[in-house]
Amino acid sequence: MLTKAPKGTKDILPGQVYKWQYVENVFREACSRYVFKEIRTPVFEHTELFARGVGDTTDIVEKQMYTFEDYGKRSITLKPEGTSPVVRAFVEHKLYADVQPSKYFYIIPCFRYEKPQSGRLREFHQMGIEVFGTNNMMADAEVIGFASDFLASLGIKELELRINSIGCPKCRETYREVLRDFLKDKYDGLCDTCKGRYDRNPMRILDCKSETCQALVQGAPYMLDHLCDECKDAFSDLKTNLDAMEIEYIVDPGIVRGLDYYTKTAFEFVSNKIGAQGTVCGGGRYDHLIEQIGGPEVPGVGFGLGIERLLLLMEATELEIPEQENLDVFIAALGDRAKKYGLKLMRDLRNDGIKAEMDSLGRNIKGQFKYADRLHAKYTIVIGDDELDQNTVSIKDMRTSTQKQVPIEDIQKEVRE
RNA sequence: GUGGGUGUAGUCAAGCGGUUAAGACACAGGGUUGUGGCUCCUGCACUCGUGGGUUCGAAUCCCAUCACCCACCCCA
């Protein structure tokens, strides 16, 4: 147990970390071009934030949060998602006083108590963006377009964009009635949780995990078919914008976001190449979240993108991720005098911007060359008594196996080439 | 929460009730008392996830347990 990471967590090892850095860098660059600014919020928040923001009838809040009491008797929860904390910071620091809309991005770990499987972990990582302060469907199209372009810039193709509208509180109330009506004579068959949901939030019944509920819900009416005029117009606006941007999509009325705060636009980028958990990126609009947690009436729209799933997808489609460069110089030193000299030389080279390494395990010359080879050194500098006496070193080009004597004062110059 | 699969060295893996648990890669050392990648040699599991049981005898059969993987569901 001591030497085992907790279930559902993964170490990102030194040999793999360049992949993370790569996608994060590409994301940061995209954010810069799309003019999104990074925001960093705490790993944990007051539990109440998520109960209110995500919704206390959601699976996430009901059974997936890592919640604990701290020593000051506060109920604390590890972030299960990225949007609520950003909204909290936006309200707390009155960022709505800045020029609007506000555009933020973040790269964060999220925590949900789930049963792990391919593409689903208990600690996972998201890159996300949020746009606060505009109702205009241009923002929704921008957010979707961002995701689409970012994914494309990684070389990812064959992702399917699915969009839907899940309405606003107004039309949703109507829809709830339609749904209650549909479920009325099925009520007795529902599980206990869903009996409670029937009054509070019948939409949640649609994604209950109980098999009996699943069966009862077959053939239920779609939200998309019961939108109010405003939402209907918004959805058609969105489609027009996406068409204008030449972004392909399919309308999927089955998309029901598992977070209560979503309104109107809901979308997903889905792959069929990484197993059952195919949603690489998901998001939508949340017009009342900010007031819901005590802020002004400011609408928002954004997405979350799963880094682990992104990497799974890139691996599945055999996309090349540029690896870090090799070692420039290995210093093979023989004898104490040479080692002292090498230590100083290594430091000078490093300070000069050159990637340099030497042996610290007391390997013999052959071992040191072998080590240099393993490190993929471009050059190996050999320093021994002979060289020191003559004020030279040997520099060997590891690719061509050619070697030459170089005066000590010319090392830097020689290595630069 | 429900179901399925797998567990032999760092990794991949043979073994399928009977003397010392194949092999490959990796790793370490050596073949030259100052030169790598190739090659050759040597070393590297008192033990087969763990705990019980059956048996003269178990990595091999049974039970339990744990871990990992996958799927349902949900989502990133």
Side-chain angles (χ1 to χ4, degrees), chain A residues 308-327:
Chain A
E308 284 85 354
R309 289 184 188 177
L310 184 63
L311 259 18
L312 276 179
L313 178 60
M314 292 182 74
E315 236 143 83
T317 53
E318 291 175 343
L319 278 175
E320 293 284 326
I321 298 179
E323 195 162 357
Q324 34 201 179
E325 326 87 273
N326 301 332
L327 181 66

Side-chain angles (χ1 to χ4, degrees), chain A residues 14 72 95 120 134 219 230 234 284 296 323 325 383 411:
Chain A
L95 299 179
R120 193 167 75 183
T134 172
E230 185 191 322
E323 195 162 357
E325 326 87 273
I383 313 168
I411 293 177

